[in-house]
Each structure stands twice: as structure tokens, then as C-alpha cells.
Amino acid sequence: MRKAITILIIVMIIIIVLATGFFVWWYLETQENKRIDAEAVTLKEDLTVEFGEKVKISDFLANLNGRLLNDYTVDTEQLGEITVTFDFINIKNKKRTAQFKINIIDVTKPKIFSGASYTVTTGYNKDLTQVLLSGDDIDDNPIRKIEGQYDFNVAGDYNLTYIVRDSSGNETKKDFILHVVEPIEPSEQLEPPAVVESIYFDDIFQEHKNDKTKIGIDVSKWQGEINWEDVKNAGVEFAIIRVGYQTDYDGEYVVDPYFISNIEGAKAQGIPVGVYFYSYAKTVEQAVEQAEWVKEQINGYEIDLPITFDWESWNSFNKTGMSFYKINKVANTFLSSLEQAGYKGMLYSSKNYLEKIWYPTEYDVWLAHYTSKTNYQGKYHIWQRCDTGRVNGINGNVDINVMYVNR
């Protein structure tokens, strides 16, 4: 009996010793792992980035004892403090998850695009803060105000300051002169209106045609009935056709009354075609809706060239409640929706607004710049050379374009 008790006591002592040893080992191992994890990640001192800045996880790490599993690009398109989470393998080959906070700020001042002066006639009644083009990179509705005294009913020159301030406190000021003048009677106009010179398709063809270009036109209802056989025989190598347009902000979508006859006429002559849609979209939801509408209209037609997003209502941009970031997102949403459906997307704009408002884009650009030689420095696929072109088969003016291929 004593022997059995002695054996039991010895066994219990061994169990206690082993358990104590295991606990001590577990505790030390846990503490060591905590120390390793605590020392694994060292962050940089400055965890502040600008809105839209392209940064990755590694850009915030001063040191990492281990390796990142995914050095992904952090979403910086929201202001304020955000939590960033990432996974890594530590020096003991264990997967770990870590977090840190970064602060996204806006340091970019709003932009004012008005000139040094602005002229109105007596009795003018519009809000100057809305008609003088301005905007912010992020804030959809920056505070706009005019500083100084003026009277629309009294002719004279008024020295004023246009001030735009965004929600982050960034402010831009621009001095300008408001000229309030008496209306001019038609009989008092001494000079007749300037005559716009026509530019003939053959001349542009001879000047710009080579093995890296194609010369074409873009058309809408403004060209009326088109004789596409004559257009083909004139040497036109492609056509971009307006599929439709939005009537106004939040307005309905209307098929161009000549869309069907134009696309069927051009296709019948073997002329490659693209289409464009004139938009007043001011939300990404509307951009998606419009892209879907365009797809419905072109269903059944082979579209050889890109589908273009055409947004030109800059004279009322201030009223839309859009930042520059938002208008760019609207355009990209429209184009990405079409590309997801297998079409090629393209952005249309003048040189002026490509340089001022549109961001560099992954999509093709259709540049409008009416000059004999453009000095636009960005990339573009098509150059709209003029809007006073003349080509056989079309009565009146038409836009003539140079498309760059094989480059």
C-alpha cells in the first residue's frame, strides 16, 4: 500500500514538474513572440499623406523584421484619419497582422480660372461667384464670394476680389475688374462680324496624312442629311457619330435624330465608326446610367472606334456641386462601364480643360484644338483639327479630325 502511495506521489510530482516546465516554456515563448511582434514593425515618424497620393504599405515602414505578404496601394481618396491593416511573416515564419493609422490631408488650394476682367451690361442679374469658373480638387461645394462693392445698374469699373475657400481651409484669391457697360445698339457696332474661313478636307488630308494617321470627321444632327457615298469618295477614313445627348442637368437622354441614318450610311460605305455621347452627368450613378443607355442604342451595330464621353458645360460647372476629383470620377465611371462591356472608351475635351481640370487618364483622349499645329503636351489619340471643315457629301461645316495609329 505504501509502495503504491509512494509511486502515486512520485507520478504527481513528475506531472507537476512537467506542467510547471511546460507553463514556464509557454510563458517564455509567448513573451518572446510578443517581443518579436512588438519589435517587428517600426513606423516612420510622419504618417501624413496628401489626398490622392500614391503610397504603399512599405512607404510607411521604417523597418520590418520579416516580409510583407502584400505591399498594396493604400486608398488615400478620403480625408481624415484612417486605419491601415496589413499582413506579414515574422522572423519565426509566423503570419501576423498589424495596423497603423495615417492622416489624409488636403493642402491644394482651389483654382480660379477667370481672367483679369469680366464685362457685363447694366441690369445684369446673375451671381458672379457662379459664372466665374472656379473649383476645388476635393470639396464639391467650396465657399465662393466676391469682395468689394459693385452695382450692376451703374456703368463703371469695379475693382473686386474673387475668393474661394475649401473645407480644409485652403483659400485662393484673385483680383479682377468688373466692367459694367451700357448695352450697345446694333447700329453702333462699327465692325461687321468676322468671317470664319472654311478648311477643306483635301487640304488637311494632304498636310497630315501618312502611314501613322487617318483623317476623318465627326457628325451629329447639325450636319443634316449626309451623302455617305460622296463622303467615302472624298477620302474620309473614319467617322465619329453622336449617338445622343442629355438635354440638361438631370435631363432626359435623347437619341440624335440622325444617328441611325448616319451609322448605317457610314457602315454601308465601309467607313469605320465610333460614337460619342454629350453628357451633363454630375454623379457616378448618372454616369453608369448613361453608359447603359448608350449600350442600348448601339446594340446590334459594330463599333470600330472608341465610345466617347463628351462633357462641356463649364460655364455652369460651379453650380453642379462637383469637385475636380468628382468630375474626373464621373468620366472614368462612364468609360470603365463601357470598357467592361468590351468597348473602348475615350474622353473628349478642349486643350484648355485638359490642361486645367481633367486628370491624366488611362483612356484615350480626343483633343479639340482648332489650330494648324497643336502645342498640347499630353497624350491624345485623335485631334479635332477644326469645326469649319468642308467635305463632299455634307452641306455646311463639319469637324475634321486626325487619328494617330501605329505609335
Side-chain angles (χ1 to χ4, degrees), residues 219-278:
V219 298
S220 67
K221 72 175 184 179
W222 306 114
Q223 279 67 53
E225 293 286 348
I226 296 175
N227 185 322
W228 285 99
E229 183 177 4
D230 287 350
V231 168
K232 174 69 174 180
N233 292 335
V236 170
E237 297 178 289
F238 68 90
I240 303 177
I241 300 166
R242 187 171 73 167
V243 59
Y245 57 94
Q246 188 177 10
T247 56
D248 203 341
Y249 297 113
D250 301 316
E252 62 179 330
Y253 312 145
V254 179
V255 177
D256 187 289
Y258 287 86
F259 169 65
I260 294 178
S261 61
N262 279 337
I263 193 169
E264 293 183 352
K267 297 296 289 185
Q269 296 300 320
I271 299 175
V273 300
V275 302
Y276 74 94
F277 179 76
Y278 189 96

Short mmCIF file of all heavy atoms in Angstrom, two decimals, residues 219-278:
data_model
loop_
_atom_site.label_atom_id
_atom_site.label_comp_id
_atom_site.label_asym_id
_atom_site.label_seq_id
_atom_site.Cartn_x
_atom_site.Cartn_y
_atom_site.Cartn_z
N VAL A 219 -19.82 63.81 -86.69
CA VAL A 219 -21.08 64.38 -87.16
C VAL A 219 -22.20 64.18 -86.15
O VAL A 219 -22.15 63.30 -85.29
CB VAL A 219 -21.51 63.74 -88.51
CG1 VAL A 219 -20.46 64.02 -89.58
CG2 VAL A 219 -21.72 62.23 -88.36
N SER A 220 -23.21 65.02 -86.31
CA SER A 220 -24.42 64.94 -85.50
C SER A 220 -25.57 65.51 -86.33
O SER A 220 -25.43 65.70 -87.54
CB SER A 220 -24.26 65.72 -84.19
OG SER A 220 -24.16 67.10 -84.46
N LYS A 221 -26.67 65.83 -85.66
CA LYS A 221 -27.83 66.37 -86.39
C LYS A 221 -27.51 67.70 -87.07
O LYS A 221 -28.19 68.09 -88.01
CB LYS A 221 -29.01 66.54 -85.45
CG LYS A 221 -28.87 67.69 -84.46
CD LYS A 221 -30.14 67.86 -83.64
CE LYS A 221 -30.04 69.07 -82.71
NZ LYS A 221 -31.28 69.26 -81.93
N TRP A 222 -26.48 68.38 -86.60
CA TRP A 222 -26.16 69.69 -87.16
C TRP A 222 -25.66 69.60 -88.60
O TRP A 222 -25.68 70.60 -89.32
CB TRP A 222 -25.11 70.40 -86.28
CG TRP A 222 -25.54 70.48 -84.85
CD1 TRP A 222 -24.97 69.88 -83.78
CD2 TRP A 222 -26.67 71.20 -84.34
NE1 TRP A 222 -25.65 70.16 -82.62
CE2 TRP A 222 -26.71 70.97 -82.94
CE3 TRP A 222 -27.64 72.01 -84.91
CZ2 TRP A 222 -27.68 71.53 -82.11
CZ3 TRP A 222 -28.62 72.56 -84.10
CH2 TRP A 222 -28.63 72.32 -82.72
N GLN A 223 -25.25 68.43 -89.04
CA GLN A 223 -24.83 68.26 -90.44
C GLN A 223 -26.00 67.85 -91.34
O GLN A 223 -25.85 67.80 -92.56
CB GLN A 223 -23.71 67.21 -90.54
CG GLN A 223 -22.33 67.74 -90.20
CD GLN A 223 -22.17 68.14 -88.76
OE1 GLN A 223 -22.46 67.35 -87.86
NE2 GLN A 223 -21.72 69.36 -88.53
N GLY A 224 -27.14 67.55 -90.75
CA GLY A 224 -28.31 67.18 -91.55
C GLY A 224 -28.11 65.89 -92.31
O GLY A 224 -27.36 64.99 -91.90
N GLU A 225 -28.79 65.78 -93.45
CA GLU A 225 -28.67 64.58 -94.28
C GLU A 225 -27.28 64.53 -94.91
O GLU A 225 -26.81 65.51 -95.49
CB GLU A 225 -29.73 64.58 -95.38
CG GLU A 225 -31.16 64.45 -94.85
CD GLU A 225 -31.48 63.03 -94.38
OE1 GLU A 225 -30.67 62.11 -94.67
OE2 GLU A 225 -32.52 62.85 -93.72
N ILE A 226 -26.65 63.38 -94.82
CA ILE A 226 -25.30 63.21 -95.34
C ILE A 226 -25.30 62.17 -96.46
O ILE A 226 -25.91 61.10 -96.34
CB ILE A 226 -24.33 62.76 -94.22
CG1 ILE A 226 -24.22 63.87 -93.16
CG2 ILE A 226 -22.95 62.42 -94.78
CD1 ILE A 226 -23.38 63.48 -91.96
N ASN A 227 -24.62 62.48 -97.55
CA ASN A 227 -24.42 61.52 -98.63
C ASN A 227 -23.12 60.77 -98.34
O ASN A 227 -22.02 61.23 -98.64
CB ASN A 227 -24.32 62.25 -99.98
CG ASN A 227 -24.24 61.27 -101.15
OD1 ASN A 227 -23.61 60.22 -101.06
ND2 ASN A 227 -24.89 61.63 -102.26
N TRP A 228 -23.27 59.61 -97.72
CA TRP A 228 -22.10 58.89 -97.24
C TRP A 228 -21.26 58.32 -98.38
O TRP A 228 -20.05 58.10 -98.22
CB TRP A 228 -22.51 57.81 -96.26
CG TRP A 228 -22.87 58.40 -94.92
CD1 TRP A 228 -24.12 58.67 -94.45
CD2 TRP A 228 -21.95 58.83 -93.92
NE1 TRP A 228 -24.04 59.25 -93.20
CE2 TRP A 228 -22.72 59.36 -92.84
CE3 TRP A 228 -20.56 58.82 -93.80
CZ2 TRP A 228 -22.14 59.86 -91.69
CZ3 TRP A 228 -19.97 59.33 -92.65
CH2 TRP A 228 -20.76 59.84 -91.61
N GLU A 229 -21.86 58.08 -99.52
CA GLU A 229 -21.07 57.62 -100.66
C GLU A 229 -20.10 58.72 -101.11
O GLU A 229 -18.91 58.45 -101.38
CB GLU A 229 -21.99 57.22 -101.82
CG GLU A 229 -21.23 56.67 -103.03
CD GLU A 229 -22.16 56.21 -104.14
OE1 GLU A 229 -23.38 56.40 -104.01
OE2 GLU A 229 -21.65 55.68 -105.14
N ASP A 230 -20.59 59.96 -101.16
CA ASP A 230 -19.72 61.07 -101.51
C ASP A 230 -18.64 61.29 -100.45
O ASP A 230 -17.50 61.64 -100.76
CB ASP A 230 -20.53 62.35 -101.69
CG ASP A 230 -21.35 62.35 -102.97
OD1 ASP A 230 -21.13 61.46 -103.81
OD2 ASP A 230 -22.22 63.24 -103.11
N VAL A 231 -19.04 61.12 -99.19
CA VAL A 231 -18.07 61.27 -98.10
C VAL A 231 -16.96 60.24 -98.24
O VAL A 231 -15.77 60.56 -98.09
CB VAL A 231 -18.78 61.12 -96.74
CG1 VAL A 231 -17.77 60.97 -95.60
CG2 VAL A 231 -19.70 62.32 -96.48
N LYS A 232 -17.33 59.00 -98.54
CA LYS A 232 -16.34 57.95 -98.74
C LYS A 232 -15.42 58.28 -99.91
O LYS A 232 -14.18 58.16 -99.82
CB LYS A 232 -17.05 56.62 -98.99
CG LYS A 232 -16.14 55.46 -99.36
CD LYS A 232 -15.26 55.02 -98.20
CE LYS A 232 -14.48 53.76 -98.57
NZ LYS A 232 -13.61 53.30 -97.46
N ASN A 233 -16.01 58.72 -101.00
CA ASN A 233 -15.22 59.05 -102.19
C ASN A 233 -14.31 60.25 -101.97
O ASN A 233 -13.30 60.41 -102.66
CB ASN A 233 -16.15 59.31 -103.38
CG ASN A 233 -16.87 58.05 -103.83
OD1 ASN A 233 -16.39 56.93 -103.61
ND2 ASN A 233 -18.03 58.21 -104.45
N ALA A 234 -14.68 61.10 -100.99
CA ALA A 234 -13.85 62.27 -100.68
C ALA A 234 -12.58 61.88 -99.93
O ALA A 234 -11.67 62.70 -99.77
CB ALA A 234 -14.65 63.27 -99.88
N GLY A 235 -12.52 60.62 -99.46
CA GLY A 235 -11.32 60.16 -98.76
C GLY A 235 -11.45 60.05 -97.26
O GLY A 235 -10.46 59.76 -96.56
N VAL A 236 -12.65 60.26 -96.72
CA VAL A 236 -12.84 60.16 -95.28
C VAL A 236 -12.58 58.73 -94.82
O VAL A 236 -13.15 57.79 -95.35
CB VAL A 236 -14.26 60.61 -94.89
CG1 VAL A 236 -14.56 60.28 -93.42
CG2 VAL A 236 -14.43 62.10 -95.14
N GLU A 237 -11.72 58.59 -93.80
CA GLU A 237 -11.26 57.27 -93.38
C GLU A 237 -11.92 56.78 -92.09
O GLU A 237 -11.77 55.61 -91.73
CB GLU A 237 -9.75 57.29 -93.19
CG GLU A 237 -8.98 57.58 -94.47
CD GLU A 237 -7.49 57.63 -94.26
OE1 GLU A 237 -7.02 58.61 -93.63
OE2 GLU A 237 -6.80 56.70 -94.71
N PHE A 238 -12.62 57.65 -91.39
CA PHE A 238 -13.38 57.22 -90.21
C PHE A 238 -14.40 58.31 -89.87
O PHE A 238 -14.28 59.46 -90.32
CB PHE A 238 -12.47 56.94 -89.01
CG PHE A 238 -11.80 58.15 -88.43
CD1 PHE A 238 -12.40 58.88 -87.40
CD2 PHE A 238 -10.57 58.57 -88.88
CE1 PHE A 238 -11.79 60.00 -86.85
CE2 PHE A 238 -9.93 59.68 -88.35
CZ PHE A 238 -10.55 60.40 -87.33
N ALA A 239 -15.38 57.93 -89.06
CA ALA A 239 -16.41 58.88 -88.64
C ALA A 239 -16.79 58.60 -87.19
O ALA A 239 -16.98 57.44 -86.81
CB ALA A 239 -17.64 58.80 -89.53
N ILE A 240 -16.89 59.65 -86.42
CA ILE A 240 -17.39 59.54 -85.04
C ILE A 240 -18.77 60.19 -85.02
O ILE A 240 -18.91 61.37 -85.37
CB ILE A 240 -16.44 60.22 -84.05
CG1 ILE A 240 -15.03 59.61 -84.18
CG2 ILE A 240 -16.96 60.05 -82.62
CD1 ILE A 240 -14.01 60.26 -83.29
N ILE A 241 -19.75 59.44 -84.63
CA ILE A 241 -21.16 59.83 -84.78
C ILE A 241 -21.79 60.05 -83.41
O ILE A 241 -21.63 59.20 -82.51
CB ILE A 241 -21.93 58.74 -85.56
CG1 ILE A 241 -21.30 58.56 -86.95
CG2 ILE A 241 -23.40 59.07 -85.65
CD1 ILE A 241 -21.76 57.31 -87.66
N ARG A 242 -22.50 61.14 -83.27
CA ARG A 242 -23.19 61.36 -81.99
C ARG A 242 -24.35 60.40 -81.87
O ARG A 242 -25.27 60.41 -82.68
CB ARG A 242 -23.68 62.79 -81.86
CG ARG A 242 -24.24 63.08 -80.46
CD ARG A 242 -24.55 64.54 -80.22
NE ARG A 242 -25.74 64.99 -80.94
CZ ARG A 242 -26.36 66.13 -80.69
NH1 ARG A 242 -25.89 66.96 -79.76
NH2 ARG A 242 -27.44 66.47 -81.39
N VAL A 243 -24.30 59.58 -80.81
CA VAL A 243 -25.39 58.64 -80.56
C VAL A 243 -26.56 59.35 -79.89
O VAL A 243 -27.72 58.99 -80.09
CB VAL A 243 -24.91 57.44 -79.73
CG1 VAL A 243 -24.36 57.87 -78.39
CG2 VAL A 243 -26.03 56.42 -79.53
N GLY A 244 -26.25 60.36 -79.07
CA GLY A 244 -27.31 61.07 -78.38
C GLY A 244 -26.76 62.08 -77.41
O GLY A 244 -25.55 62.34 -77.37
N TYR A 245 -27.65 62.66 -76.61
CA TYR A 245 -27.25 63.72 -75.70
C TYR A 245 -28.23 63.80 -74.54
O TYR A 245 -29.37 63.33 -74.62
CB TYR A 245 -27.20 65.06 -76.43
CG TYR A 245 -28.51 65.46 -77.10
CD1 TYR A 245 -29.43 66.27 -76.45
CD2 TYR A 245 -28.83 65.00 -78.38
CE1 TYR A 245 -30.63 66.64 -77.05
CE2 TYR A 245 -30.02 65.35 -78.99
CZ TYR A 245 -30.92 66.17 -78.33
OH TYR A 245 -32.11 66.51 -78.92
N GLN A 246 -27.76 64.40 -73.47
CA GLN A 246 -28.63 64.71 -72.33
C GLN A 246 -29.09 66.14 -72.48
O GLN A 246 -28.31 67.03 -72.84
CB GLN A 246 -27.85 64.53 -71.02
CG GLN A 246 -28.71 64.63 -69.77
CD GLN A 246 -27.92 64.36 -68.50
OE1 GLN A 246 -26.70 64.27 -68.53
NE2 GLN A 246 -28.62 64.24 -67.38
N THR A 247 -30.36 66.41 -72.23
CA THR A 247 -30.92 67.73 -72.51
C THR A 247 -30.41 68.81 -71.56
O THR A 247 -30.32 69.98 -71.94
CB THR A 247 -32.45 67.69 -72.45
OG1 THR A 247 -32.85 67.18 -71.15
CG2 THR A 247 -33.01 66.80 -73.55
N ASP A 248 -30.08 68.43 -70.32
CA ASP A 248 -29.60 69.39 -69.32
C ASP A 248 -29.24 68.59 -68.08
O ASP A 248 -29.36 67.36 -68.06
CB ASP A 248 -30.69 70.43 -69.01
CG ASP A 248 -30.12 71.74 -68.44
OD1 ASP A 248 -28.97 71.72 -67.97
OD2 ASP A 248 -30.82 72.76 -68.50
N TYR A 249 -28.80 69.28 -67.02
CA TYR A 249 -28.56 68.57 -65.77
C TYR A 249 -29.84 67.89 -65.32
O TYR A 249 -30.91 68.50 -65.28
CB TYR A 249 -28.08 69.55 -64.69
CG TYR A 249 -26.77 70.21 -65.04
CD1 TYR A 249 -26.70 71.56 -65.30
CD2 TYR A 249 -25.60 69.45 -65.12
CE1 TYR A 249 -25.50 72.17 -65.62
CE2 TYR A 249 -24.40 70.05 -65.46
CZ TYR A 249 -24.34 71.40 -65.71
OH TYR A 249 -23.14 71.99 -66.04
N ASP A 250 -29.70 66.61 -65.01
CA ASP A 250 -30.83 65.76 -64.61
C ASP A 250 -31.87 65.63 -65.72
O ASP A 250 -33.01 65.21 -65.47
CB ASP A 250 -31.51 66.30 -63.33
CG ASP A 250 -30.55 66.37 -62.16
OD1 ASP A 250 -29.80 65.41 -61.96
OD2 ASP A 250 -30.54 67.40 -61.45
N GLY A 251 -31.50 66.01 -66.95
CA GLY A 251 -32.43 65.93 -68.07
C GLY A 251 -32.50 64.55 -68.68
O GLY A 251 -31.76 63.63 -68.32
N GLU A 252 -33.41 64.40 -69.64
CA GLU A 252 -33.59 63.11 -70.29
C GLU A 252 -32.50 62.86 -71.32
O GLU A 252 -31.76 63.77 -71.70
CB GLU A 252 -34.97 63.06 -70.97
CG GLU A 252 -35.16 64.09 -72.07
CD GLU A 252 -36.52 63.99 -72.72
OE1 GLU A 252 -37.07 62.88 -72.76
OE2 GLU A 252 -37.03 65.02 -73.20
N TYR A 253 -32.41 61.60 -71.76
CA TYR A 253 -31.44 61.22 -72.78
C TYR A 253 -32.18 61.10 -74.11
O TYR A 253 -33.24 60.46 -74.19
CB TYR A 253 -30.78 59.89 -72.42
CG TYR A 253 -30.28 59.82 -70.99
CD1 TYR A 253 -30.34 58.62 -70.27
CD2 TYR A 253 -29.78 60.96 -70.35
CE1 TYR A 253 -29.88 58.56 -68.96
CE2 TYR A 253 -29.34 60.90 -69.05
CZ TYR A 253 -29.39 59.71 -68.35
OH TYR A 253 -28.94 59.65 -67.05
N VAL A 254 -31.61 61.71 -75.13
CA VAL A 254 -32.27 61.78 -76.43
C VAL A 254 -31.35 61.21 -77.50
O VAL A 254 -30.17 61.56 -77.57
CB VAL A 254 -32.62 63.24 -76.78
CG1 VAL A 254 -33.29 63.30 -78.15
CG2 VAL A 254 -33.52 63.85 -75.71
N VAL A 255 -31.89 60.34 -78.32
CA VAL A 255 -31.13 59.80 -79.45
C VAL A 255 -30.99 60.89 -80.50
O VAL A 255 -31.97 61.57 -80.84
CB VAL A 255 -31.82 58.57 -80.06
CG1 VAL A 255 -31.05 58.08 -81.29
CG2 VAL A 255 -31.94 57.46 -79.03
N ASP A 256 -29.78 61.09 -81.01
CA ASP A 256 -29.59 62.06 -82.09
C ASP A 256 -30.49 61.65 -83.25
O ASP A 256 -30.48 60.49 -83.67
CB ASP A 256 -28.13 62.07 -82.53
CG ASP A 256 -27.83 63.17 -83.52
OD1 ASP A 256 -28.29 63.06 -84.68
OD2 ASP A 256 -27.13 64.13 -83.17
N PRO A 257 -31.31 62.58 -83.79
CA PRO A 257 -32.28 62.21 -84.84
C PRO A 257 -31.63 61.65 -86.11
O PRO A 257 -32.32 61.02 -86.90
CB PRO A 257 -33.01 63.53 -85.12
CG PRO A 257 -32.13 64.60 -84.60
CD PRO A 257 -31.41 64.01 -83.43
N TYR A 258 -30.33 61.87 -86.29
CA TYR A 258 -29.65 61.36 -87.48
C TYR A 258 -28.71 60.20 -87.15
O TYR A 258 -27.96 59.76 -88.01
CB TYR A 258 -28.86 62.48 -88.17
CG TYR A 258 -29.74 63.48 -88.89
CD1 TYR A 258 -30.30 64.55 -88.21
CD2 TYR A 258 -30.03 63.33 -90.24
CE1 TYR A 258 -31.12 65.46 -88.86
CE2 TYR A 258 -30.86 64.23 -90.91
CZ TYR A 258 -31.39 65.29 -90.21
OH TYR A 258 -32.21 66.18 -90.87
N PHE A 259 -28.77 59.72 -85.89
CA PHE A 259 -27.83 58.67 -85.50
C PHE A 259 -27.96 57.42 -86.37
O PHE A 259 -26.98 56.91 -86.92
CB PHE A 259 -28.02 58.29 -84.03
CG PHE A 259 -27.28 57.04 -83.65
CD1 PHE A 259 -25.89 56.99 -83.68
CD2 PHE A 259 -27.97 55.88 -83.28
CE1 PHE A 259 -25.20 55.83 -83.35
CE2 PHE A 259 -27.29 54.73 -82.94
CZ PHE A 259 -25.90 54.69 -82.98
N ILE A 260 -29.17 56.92 -86.51
CA ILE A 260 -29.36 55.67 -87.25
C ILE A 260 -28.96 55.83 -88.71
O ILE A 260 -28.24 55.00 -89.28
CB ILE A 260 -30.81 55.18 -87.11
CG1 ILE A 260 -31.09 54.79 -85.65
CG2 ILE A 260 -31.06 53.99 -88.03
CD1 ILE A 260 -32.51 54.35 -85.40
N SER A 261 -29.42 56.91 -89.35
CA SER A 261 -29.07 57.09 -90.75
C SER A 261 -27.58 57.31 -90.93
O SER A 261 -26.98 56.85 -91.91
CB SER A 261 -29.85 58.26 -91.35
OG SER A 261 -29.53 59.48 -90.69
N ASN A 262 -26.95 57.97 -89.98
CA ASN A 262 -25.52 58.21 -90.07
C ASN A 262 -24.71 56.93 -89.89
O ASN A 262 -23.80 56.64 -90.67
CB ASN A 262 -25.08 59.25 -89.04
CG ASN A 262 -25.35 60.66 -89.50
OD1 ASN A 262 -25.47 60.94 -90.68
ND2 ASN A 262 -25.45 61.59 -88.54
N ILE A 263 -25.03 56.15 -88.85
CA ILE A 263 -24.22 54.96 -88.60
C ILE A 263 -24.46 53.91 -89.68
O ILE A 263 -23.52 53.25 -90.14
CB ILE A 263 -24.48 54.39 -87.19
CG1 ILE A 263 -23.39 53.37 -86.84
CG2 ILE A 263 -25.87 53.75 -87.07
CD1 ILE A 263 -23.39 52.95 -85.38
N GLU A 264 -25.69 53.79 -90.14
CA GLU A 264 -25.97 52.82 -91.19
C GLU A 264 -25.39 53.28 -92.53
O GLU A 264 -24.88 52.46 -93.31
CB GLU A 264 -27.47 52.56 -91.29
CG GLU A 264 -28.01 51.84 -90.06
CD GLU A 264 -29.50 51.50 -90.16
OE1 GLU A 264 -30.14 51.96 -91.13
OE2 GLU A 264 -30.00 50.80 -89.26
N GLY A 265 -25.42 54.59 -92.77
CA GLY A 265 -24.84 55.10 -94.01
C GLY A 265 -23.34 54.95 -94.05
O GLY A 265 -22.77 54.56 -95.08
N ALA A 266 -22.69 55.24 -92.93
CA ALA A 266 -21.24 55.10 -92.87
C ALA A 266 -20.81 53.64 -92.96
O ALA A 266 -19.88 53.30 -93.71
CB ALA A 266 -20.72 55.72 -91.57
N LYS A 267 -21.50 52.76 -92.23
CA LYS A 267 -21.15 51.33 -92.27
C LYS A 267 -21.37 50.75 -93.66
O LYS A 267 -20.59 49.90 -94.11
CB LYS A 267 -21.98 50.57 -91.24
CG LYS A 267 -21.75 50.98 -89.79
CD LYS A 267 -20.34 50.69 -89.31
CE LYS A 267 -20.09 49.22 -89.14
NZ LYS A 267 -18.75 48.96 -88.56
N ALA A 268 -22.40 51.21 -94.35
CA ALA A 268 -22.68 50.71 -95.69
C ALA A 268 -21.54 51.03 -96.66
O ALA A 268 -21.32 50.31 -97.63
CB ALA A 268 -23.99 51.29 -96.22
N GLN A 269 -20.81 52.11 -96.38
CA GLN A 269 -19.69 52.51 -97.23
C GLN A 269 -18.35 51.97 -96.71
O GLN A 269 -17.29 52.28 -97.26
CB GLN A 269 -19.62 54.03 -97.32
CG GLN A 269 -20.82 54.67 -97.99
CD GLN A 269 -21.02 54.18 -99.42
OE1 GLN A 269 -20.05 54.01 -100.16
NE2 GLN A 269 -22.28 53.93 -99.79
N GLY A 270 -18.40 51.16 -95.66
CA GLY A 270 -17.17 50.58 -95.12
C GLY A 270 -16.33 51.57 -94.33
O GLY A 270 -15.12 51.36 -94.16
N ILE A 271 -16.94 52.63 -93.84
CA ILE A 271 -16.21 53.63 -93.06
C ILE A 271 -16.23 53.21 -91.58
O ILE A 271 -17.31 53.05 -91.01
CB ILE A 271 -16.85 55.03 -93.21
CG1 ILE A 271 -16.81 55.48 -94.68
CG2 ILE A 271 -16.14 56.04 -92.32
CD1 ILE A 271 -17.53 56.80 -94.94
N PRO A 272 -15.08 53.01 -90.95
CA PRO A 272 -15.05 52.67 -89.52
C PRO A 272 -15.70 53.77 -88.69
O PRO A 272 -15.51 54.96 -88.97
CB PRO A 272 -13.55 52.57 -89.21
CG PRO A 272 -12.90 52.31 -90.54
CD PRO A 272 -13.72 53.06 -91.54
N VAL A 273 -16.47 53.38 -87.68
CA VAL A 273 -17.20 54.36 -86.89
C VAL A 273 -16.93 54.22 -85.39
O VAL A 273 -16.67 53.13 -84.88
CB VAL A 273 -18.72 54.28 -87.13
CG1 VAL A 273 -19.04 54.52 -88.59
CG2 VAL A 273 -19.27 52.94 -86.66
N GLY A 274 -17.00 55.36 -84.72
CA GLY A 274 -17.07 55.43 -83.27
C GLY A 274 -18.28 56.27 -82.94
O GLY A 274 -18.90 56.86 -83.84
N VAL A 275 -18.65 56.37 -81.67
CA VAL A 275 -19.78 57.21 -81.29
C VAL A 275 -19.41 58.05 -80.08
O VAL A 275 -18.45 57.74 -79.36
CB VAL A 275 -21.05 56.38 -80.96
CG1 VAL A 275 -21.45 55.53 -82.15
CG2 VAL A 275 -20.83 55.51 -79.73
N TYR A 276 -20.17 59.13 -79.88
CA TYR A 276 -19.97 59.93 -78.67
C TYR A 276 -21.32 60.32 -78.09
O TYR A 276 -22.34 60.37 -78.79
CB TYR A 276 -19.11 61.17 -78.95
CG TYR A 276 -19.77 62.30 -79.70
CD1 TYR A 276 -20.36 63.37 -79.03
CD2 TYR A 276 -19.76 62.34 -81.10
CE1 TYR A 276 -20.93 64.44 -79.71
CE2 TYR A 276 -20.33 63.41 -81.80
CZ TYR A 276 -20.91 64.45 -81.09
OH TYR A 276 -21.47 65.51 -81.78
N PHE A 277 -21.29 60.58 -76.77
CA PHE A 277 -22.49 60.98 -76.04
C PHE A 277 -22.22 62.30 -75.33
O PHE A 277 -21.21 62.44 -74.62
CB PHE A 277 -22.89 59.91 -75.02
CG PHE A 277 -24.11 60.27 -74.21
CD1 PHE A 277 -25.38 60.19 -74.77
CD2 PHE A 277 -23.99 60.70 -72.89
CE1 PHE A 277 -26.51 60.52 -74.03
CE2 PHE A 277 -25.11 61.04 -72.15
CZ PHE A 277 -26.37 60.95 -72.72
N TYR A 278 -23.09 63.29 -75.55
CA TYR A 278 -22.96 64.60 -74.92
C TYR A 278 -23.66 64.56 -73.57
O TYR A 278 -24.88 64.41 -73.50
CB TYR A 278 -23.56 65.69 -75.81
CG TYR A 278 -23.27 67.09 -75.34
CD1 TYR A 278 -22.20 67.79 -75.87
CD2 TYR A 278 -24.06 67.68 -74.37
CE1 TYR A 278 -21.93 69.09 -75.44
CE2 TYR A 278 -23.79 68.97 -73.93
CZ TYR A 278 -22.72 69.68 -74.47
OH TYR A 278 -22.45 70.94 -74.04
#
